[in-house]
Amino acid sequence: QVKEVRRVKRFEGTLIEKVGSKRVTSVTEFKDALKDVSLDTGIVLHARTPRETRFYVLKKDPKPLSK
């Protein structure tokens, strides 16, 4: 759990501007944009921080998590 909190903290202050090619300006628009994309094919997020602009590609891990 601590590892997950660190990951979230790393993205604090990051503004997501686009999901795929769809511009988002609110949490509602972000959630709506997520309905049109899939982790199976990959999701591209265009994000901005005070220092830089980045692109993140989110994909489903082909290997299932071991329990």
Side-chain angles (χ1 to χ4, degrees):
Q1 258 181 347
V2 173
K3 195 174 185 181
E4 291 300 317
V5 171
R6 285 186 190 142
R7 285 184 190 167
V8 170
K9 279 285 222 189
R10 187 173 72 173
F11 293 104
E12 204 171 280
T14 300
L15 175 66
I16 297 172
E17 296 182 318
K18 288 184 180 181
V19 176
S21 61
K22 215 179 243 188
R23 181 166 292 283
V24 294
T25 59
S26 69
V27 173
T28 302
E29 288 180 1
F30 174 76
K31 288 179 180 179
D32 287 343
L34 287 178
K35 294 175 186 174
D36 298 331
V37 293
S38 167
L39 285 174
D40 292 326
T41 56
I43 300 171
V44 178
L45 299 178
H46 301 242
R48 185 169 42 97
T49 69
R51 292 182 169 191
E52 62 191 356
T53 298
R54 289 186 154 211
F55 298 93
Y56 296 96
V57 178
L58 310 176
K59 284 194 92 169
K60 190 180 217 176
D61 188 348
K63 295 180 250 172
L65 296 174
S66 59
K67 293 183 180 183

